[in-house]
Amino acid sequence: MFSSPLLNLASWLPRSRANGPGTRMVLWLQGCPFRCPGCQNPDYLEFRLHRIVTVDKVWEVFEQLPDLDGISFSGGEPFAQAVALAELARRVQEISKTVVCWTGYRLEQLQTGEIPGATDFLPHIDLLVDGLFMQGQTDNLVLRGSLNQKLHFLSANISEDDVANIPRQEWVVSPDKLTYTGFPI
Ligand code: SF4
């Protein structure tokens, strides 16, 4: 029996430079209630068990990488696992590192209290990128796939200047795989 909350991951990267300011761990969460045409991660949409890890385990790995500026959550839909992510994000902020999160919901929807865990998770996010991906509104935007999506700087720890020069795309090479991440140009 686990006392630490569980996360269901689709994928992860220990270090990325295209998913928020500086160098960040990235977790892609498995499962999304939305079906945006043109979604970049169709394999991450189905709510099925994939890679189950405890928050404690992710935290242990995160703590072993002191050069990281923070952590980023993408998907899938991170707010479908908001209860566990709130706990992880709280720990990350406690050691003065930052949290970036993408969501298909709009910020106002998350603030209603109707999505389990959302109001506990939001105070531990420094930068929220909200809104569904709209295939007809693509543009060359920092950290976003379409014009309707917005950057919400929820704390003073990440500013517009911090996100000005983030690369739009990145290939990460590791001994066993090649990972593409970022946004289409
Ligand atoms: S919200 Fe994001 S992950 Fe979900 S379908 Fe839309 S683009 Fe894909």
Side-chain angles (χ1 to χ4, degrees), residues 32-36 39-41 45 75-77 103-104 131-133 149:
C32 178
F34 306 111
R35 292 294 180 270
C36 307
C39 171
Q40 264 211 115
N41 297 327
L45 302 187
E77 173 52 60
T103 178
L132 297 171
F133 172 66
Q149 295 173 318

Side-chain angles (χ1 to χ4, degrees), residues 9 22 24 38-39 44 50 71-72 89 93 135 140-141 143-144 146 148 154 160 163 166-167 170 172-173 184:
L9 303 184
R24 318 182 64 80
C39 171
Y44 301 173
H50 189 254
I71 195 163
S72 296
Q93 284 189 332
Q135 210 168 15
N140 198 20
L141 303 159
L143 298 178
R144 283 158 292 166
S146 59
N148 61 297
L154 301 182
E160 292 226 33
V163 302
I166 295 172
E170 145 187 88
V172 181
V173 184

Side-chain angles (χ1 to χ4, degrees), residues 137-141 144-147 168 184:
Q137 296 187 37
T138 52
D139 208 337
N140 198 20
L141 303 159
R144 283 158 292 166
S146 59
L147 283 163
R168 253 188 97 69

Side-chain angles (χ1 to χ4, degrees), residues 25 58-65 68 70-71 92 95 97:
M25 181 181 284
V58 178
W59 178 243
E60 191 186 308
V61 176
F62 186 84
E63 275 193 306
Q64 286 168 7
L65 303 170
L68 293 179
I71 195 163
V92 170
I95 57 166
K97 305 215 173 191

Side-chain angles (χ1 to χ4, degrees), residues 103-128:
T103 178
Y105 294 104
R106 284 177 293 104
L107 175 59
E108 309 82 71
Q109 291 176 293
L110 298 173
Q111 290 167 328
T112 61
E114 287 170 12
I115 296 150
T119 51
D120 292 328
F121 186 19
L122 279 174
H124 299 296
I125 296 172
D126 296 287
L127 171 60
L128 182 80

